[in-house]
Amino acid sequence: MQRPSPAESNAAHAQALFARQAKAYAGAPYPDADQRRADLKALRQQVRRYQDRLAEAMSSDFGFRAEPESKMLDLLGVVLEINHALSHLGRWMKPRRRRTELLFLSNRLEVQYQPKGVVGVIAPWNFPVYLALGPLAAALAAGNRVMIKASEFTPATNAVMRTMLGEVFSTDQVALIGEELADPNVFTALPFNHLVFTGSPAVGRLVMRAAAENLTPVTLELGGKSPALLMRGYPVAEAARRIAHGKGTNAGQVCIAPDYALVPRESVDAFAAAVAASWRGFYADGADSGDYTSVINERHHARLLGLLDDARAKGAHIIACRQPGGGRKLPLHIVVGCTPDMALMKEEIFGPILPVVAYDALEHAIHAITSGPRPLALYCFGHDEEARREVLRRTHSGGVSINDWGWHAFNHDAPFGGVGNSGMGNYHGEEGFRELSHARTVFKRHRWFPIGLFYPPYGNVVQRLVLRLFLGKGDPAL
């Protein structure tokens, strides 16, 4: 008998894990609040216990990543999300009374929030812990069982997460699959009750297409070219410092990083100089700084260099903030004189490259934002409240931070999600709980309610009065 290949064995393992979780959910479909709180506390404790090993593993996977950055960006967010859920879970779980229509007055109507079942989570490499365990926390709060597909680019982190989760959860409640699953389509083809994916719009389309085969609802957290708009009258140096921080964090490998800057034409040179100065101030040793993250792998590094080569060949002026560091440490590059035909103006950059686009009137900047796909984030730097309202009214984005970058995503009482090309659905906070719960309407009829008045034969007095009251008279001329 021919033995199954490793790929076939791993696919069978994933399918068996799903079958076990589905069976376990069927046997205990509605964990109570105490059980959910215990699960969340166990997860929080493991994140705290394993924080050093997780930071070390992430640094290994990236080639280098500063321990404080890993702990602040990947681990702190998980703990904050769990803390928020623990504080509000009892209220979230309570059935919500709703008003009946006047026709059904005296009956009872409510919405109950029940777990969906088995939730799949597909996590990317750029925040391998936060974007795996954050959705896990939301799913556990909603009472679900969870399978996580971690990135093949983070094997060291996957190994630590698998160990820490295995100490407190059985695999029929929480299971993690990593780089051993060569074909990710095996995971997306499983008939999950909900699927959460974080990644690129291109892969998001494939995930959604696969999920559609099982009519699996999806939450897609994608990316896009998130603009940073500097409005006239706002201090150029302040905006430059905050945008430089957004591009330096995780070496710009962040789905909500400022992708490009829209700057008044007369301020472009001053802005570019201020961004460069700010970046150099953050990383005194340049790309070799012990606070600066490496590009994840050779393929992504080569892609970023290709974007710069393409822009240079098409006439852009490129400012390298420092010389490249060892390994894949790429310093911030500021690109001035961008044109629409440049690849970096078409693709999400996802790295330490900042195109600077000049504009003359605010109307032109708004048009530049609205003429492309809707981004995951929008950053608006301005003190003119009326102008800010105009920008927010006329643009769409998943979220907004005003006079800074990214911090809207770190507040867990508000939803986080994309719109259009940048995603669909939300997680974080109450919206995350609702997203991963089924809102089930329950109508309870009063014993003596005269529902028979609406039965055939039609045309009785009550029916005629109801139709006249709510519909009025039709137009006999039609």
Side-chain angles (χ1 to χ4, degrees):
M1 179 183 295
Q2 184 177 4
R3 293 184 177 180
S5 68
E8 290 171 330
S9 297
N10 290 328
H13 175 63
Q15 291 158 355
L17 279 174
F18 177 83
R20 287 206 299 273
Q21 290 207 354
K23 182 179 179 181
Y25 172 75
Y30 205 96
D32 62 21
D34 288 341
Q35 179 62 55
R36 300 185 200 192
R37 289 191 183 98
D39 291 338
L40 291 170
K41 289 177 181 178
L43 177 60
R44 182 178 62 184
Q45 180 62 16
Q46 289 299 85
V47 172
R48 289 170 170 167
R49 289 183 61 227
Y50 275 82
Q51 60 180 287
D52 295 331
R53 286 188 58 187
L54 286 167
E56 181 182 352
M58 284 185 276
S59 184
S60 174
D61 286 328
F62 272 84
F64 179 79
R65 199 189 198 205
E67 177 182 310
E69 187 159 87
S70 286
K71 289 184 176 181
M72 284 192 292
L73 298 179
D74 263 276
L75 308 186
L76 180 60
V78 178
V79 171
L80 293 175
E81 184 157 354
I82 291 172
N83 289 346
H84 184 76
L86 289 171
S87 297
H88 299 280
L89 185 59
R91 178 175 61 83
W92 294 346
M93 288 181 65
K94 287 181 179 178
R96 301 288 180 90
R97 288 291 300 271
R98 300 295 175 94
R99 292 179 181 272
T100 64
E101 295 288 351
L102 181 61
L103 291 174
F104 298 96
L105 198 64
S106 81
N107 295 292
R108 182 183 179 91
L109 188 69
E110 68 179 25
V111 177
Q112 300 176 357
Y113 297 94
Q114 63 180 157
K116 286 192 170 182
V118 181
V119 171
V121 173
I122 303 176
W125 52 262
N126 61 320
F127 292 107
V129 177
Y130 181 50
L131 295 176
L133 303 190
L136 170 61
L140 291 175
N144 298 291
R145 294 169 187 268
V146 185
M147 288 178 62
I148 300 170
K149 172 62 180 77
S151 172
E152 67 273 21
F153 298 134
T154 56
T157 306
N158 299 348
V160 177
M161 284 199 293
R162 186 179 288 110
T163 297
M164 61 175 270
L165 293 172
E167 289 178 353
V168 292
F169 299 110
S170 64
T171 54
D172 66 10
Q173 184 179 10
V174 177
L176 185 142
I177 298 170
E179 66 286 352
E180 71 276 10
L181 189 62
D183 183 2
N185 294 321
V186 170
F187 191 87
T188 53
L190 294 171
F192 291 110
N193 302 108
H194 196 101
L195 189 59
V196 179
F197 169 79
T198 305
S200 70
V203 179
R205 291 184 180 92
L206 299 177
V207 169
M208 192 173 183
R209 187 175 296 123
E213 291 297 319
N214 297 305
L215 296 180
T216 296
V218 294
T219 299
L220 302 179
E221 302 300 348
L222 309 177
K225 297 188 71 62
S226 297
L229 170 58
L230 173 60
M231 300 168 70
R232 285 184 170 87
Y234 193 87
V236 171
E238 284 186 23
R241 180 175 175 79
R242 293 162 193 176
I243 292 169
H245 178 244
K247 273 299 189 182
T249 299
N250 209 35
Q253 299 168 114
V254 185
C255 60
I256 56 172
D259 189 273
Y260 65 100
L262 288 159
V263 178
R265 190 173 301 278
E266 68 275 11
S267 300
V268 165
D269 290 342
F271 175 80
V275 170
S278 294
W279 191 92
R280 292 168 186 146
F282 292 142
Y283 309 105
D285 296 325
D288 278 325
S289 168
D291 293 325
Y292 193 63
T293 297
S294 174
V295 174
I296 184 68
N297 56 38
E298 291 294 343
R299 185 178 71 181
H300 189 45
H301 186 260
R303 174 184 164 273
L304 293 170
L305 294 180
L307 292 177
L308 291 171
D309 289 342
D310 174 78
R312 189 179 291 110
K314 292 173 179 173
H317 173 55
I318 298 175
I319 304 167
C321 292
R322 294 285 187 189
Q323 292 300 311
R328 297 184 302 275
K329 286 199 163 188
L330 184 67
L332 178 63
H333 287 67
I334 303 164
V335 184
V336 180
C338 299
T339 55
D341 62 327
M342 294 176 183
L344 53 70
M345 293 308 299
K346 300 175 183 178
E347 303 174 16
E348 181 182 7
I349 293 171
F350 219 72
I353 300 173
L354 178 67
V356 180
V357 178
Y359 73 88
D360 295 305
L362 182 60
E363 178 69 27
H364 301 152
I366 293 174
H367 177 73
I369 295 169
T370 57
S371 61
R374 293 173 175 178
L376 185 56
L378 168 66
Y379 305 118
C380 181
F381 293 83
H383 291 317
D384 185 332
E385 188 172 346
E386 181 58 36
R388 286 202 314 251
R389 277 200 297 266
E390 181 71 1
V391 171
L392 295 183
R393 185 180 68 83
R394 295 178 57 190
T395 62
H396 287 82
S397 65
V400 177
S401 282
I402 294 174
N403 297 338
D404 215 321
W405 84 279
W407 300 120
H408 65 280
F410 290 83
N411 287 276
H412 292 88
D413 193 35
F416 176 77
V419 58
N421 190 70
S422 59
M424 63 179 67
N426 295 284
Y427 58 88
H428 290 186
E430 185 170 358
E431 283 80 4
F433 176 87
R434 303 281 176 239
E435 183 94 352
L436 298 178
S437 302
H438 171 56
R440 189 186 200 186
T441 298
V442 178
F443 173 82
K444 182 180 179 183
R445 177 189 156 183
H446 189 278
R447 176 179 293 185
W448 307 115
F449 187 74
I451 195 70
L453 293 172
F454 299 107
Y455 293 171
Y458 297 125
N460 63 49
V461 173
V462 172
Q463 293 172 7
R464 293 200 304 270
L465 287 173
V466 166
L467 293 176
R468 177 61 64 87
L469 176 63
F470 290 100
L471 296 183
K473 288 185 177 182
D475 187 343
L478 293 177

